[in-house]
Amino acid sequence: MPYKVAAFYQFAALPDFRELRAPLRAICAELGLKGSVLLADEGINGTLAGAAGAIGHFIAQLRGAALFGGRFDNLELKFSQASTMPFQRLKVRLKKEIVTLGATGLDPARQAGIYVEPADWNALIATPDMLVLDTRNAFEVAMGTFVGALDPGINSFGQFRDFVARHLDPARHRKVAMFCTGGIRCEKASAYLLARGFPEVYHLKGGILGYLEGVPEAESRWRGECFVFDDRVALRHGLLERPMTHHSDE
């Protein structure tokens, strides 16, 4: 595969996030990378594609450059491959949140759910009285999800709070295991549930992508494909592209 794709995020205090935009974009452009990076005062979230060496150099810069002051030393990072460049251009954007939930006062860097490694996920979601919750949008769920998972039926992550208010109760749903594509939505969602008084909240470390990469297909509780926001559209077990390439509107 000629292109390497890096999906990454980290919740970290970035009061200077506006000043980071231009130099970060310059680094990406110099390396010939395309994709999208979001910056906010709560951290960074991005997916970039390019030559393998360029991606490696970018991650090293992110972790080690004096500009970033060691604040990206705990990146949640996932690599995959692409047969053609999956992005049309490079975008580095400033946002209020790196993943938009619309709830104030949350700090996933300090309080989030209990991480569950992909190898332990099957056993966890089989636990009695465990509510398994897909935090993604309805069109993503329609392409694939875990056996027995609850679909919240939302069109955007910002609607997750309304779903919780209408359908979940910390007195009844005392054990919640949630998952999303790469893990970032669950960081926010688990912080939100904990703040709302849910006592036991778990989330899949590295998200569905981490599970599809690490769990053998013969042992998998996943059914279908995992939607990704680039021209590959969806990935299968082993983070393989679909047999035929399609194009998304994203």
Side-chain angles (χ1 to χ4, degrees), residues 11-243:
F11 286 96
L14 297 180
D16 58 341
F17 73 98
R18 292 177 182 85
E19 287 73 47
L20 297 179
R21 181 187 188 182
L24 185 64
R25 195 186 194 289
I27 291 170
C28 293
E30 184 179 346
L31 293 168
L33 304 181
K34 293 183 180 180
S36 178
V37 181
L38 305 181
L39 290 167
D41 61 8
E42 67 178 6
I44 190 170
N45 177 23
T47 306
L48 292 170
I55 288 290
H57 188 70
F58 171 78
I59 296 300
Q61 286 273 88
L62 203 55
R63 286 172 167 161
L67 169 70
F68 305 120
R71 289 175 290 179
F72 300 135
D73 60 345
N74 193 33
L75 286 172
E76 182 64 45
L77 180 62
K78 181 58 57 189
F79 295 115
S80 57
Q81 308 295 323
S83 55
T84 59
M85 171 54 78
F87 298 104
Q88 305 303 315
R89 57 193 181 276
L90 172 64
K91 297 177 285 186
V92 181
R93 294 174 171 171
L94 303 179
K95 295 282 190 176
K96 289 183 178 180
E97 302 176 73
I98 55 173
V99 58
T100 304
L101 180 59
T104 59
L106 301 179
D107 185 0
R110 298 184 62 183
Q111 183 185 47
I114 299 167
Y115 288 112
V116 180
E117 295 292 339
D120 301 322
W121 182 249
N122 287 356
L124 178 80
I125 64 176
T127 303
D129 302 322
M130 182 69 70
L131 173 66
V132 183
L133 179 59
D134 195 329
T135 65
R136 301 171 304 148
N137 305 340
F139 71 92
E140 297 174 80
V141 179
M143 294 184 70
T145 191
F146 284 104
V147 175
L150 175 63
D151 174 7
I154 57 179
N155 294 318
S156 71
F157 186 54
Q159 296 175 352
F160 182 77
R161 292 180 301 148
D162 291 336
F163 165 77
V164 172
R166 291 171 181 269
H167 300 289
L168 300 188
D169 179 353
R172 288 191 301 121
H173 305 108
R174 301 190 61 80
K175 298 178 182 178
V176 181
M178 57 178 62
F179 61 92
C180 56
T181 306
I184 189 170
R185 280 178 276 191
C186 291
E187 300 261 8
K188 270 282 182 79
S190 66
Y192 182 72
L193 289 190
L194 290 170
R196 300 277 297 179
F198 289 79
E200 208 169 317
V201 183
Y202 302 88
H203 54 115
L204 176 58
K205 182 171 175 57
I208 299 161
L209 297 180
Y211 183 91
L212 294 180
E213 181 182 47
V215 175
E217 190 167 2
E219 301 171 14
S220 178
R221 301 293 293 163
W222 176 264
R223 299 293 182 269
E225 296 178 312
C226 180
F227 181 87
V228 290
F229 290 89
D230 61 56
D231 283 357
R232 295 172 298 173
V233 181
L235 299 179
R236 300 172 290 141
H237 268 278
L239 302 187
L240 298 174
E241 296 181 62
R242 284 177 163 187

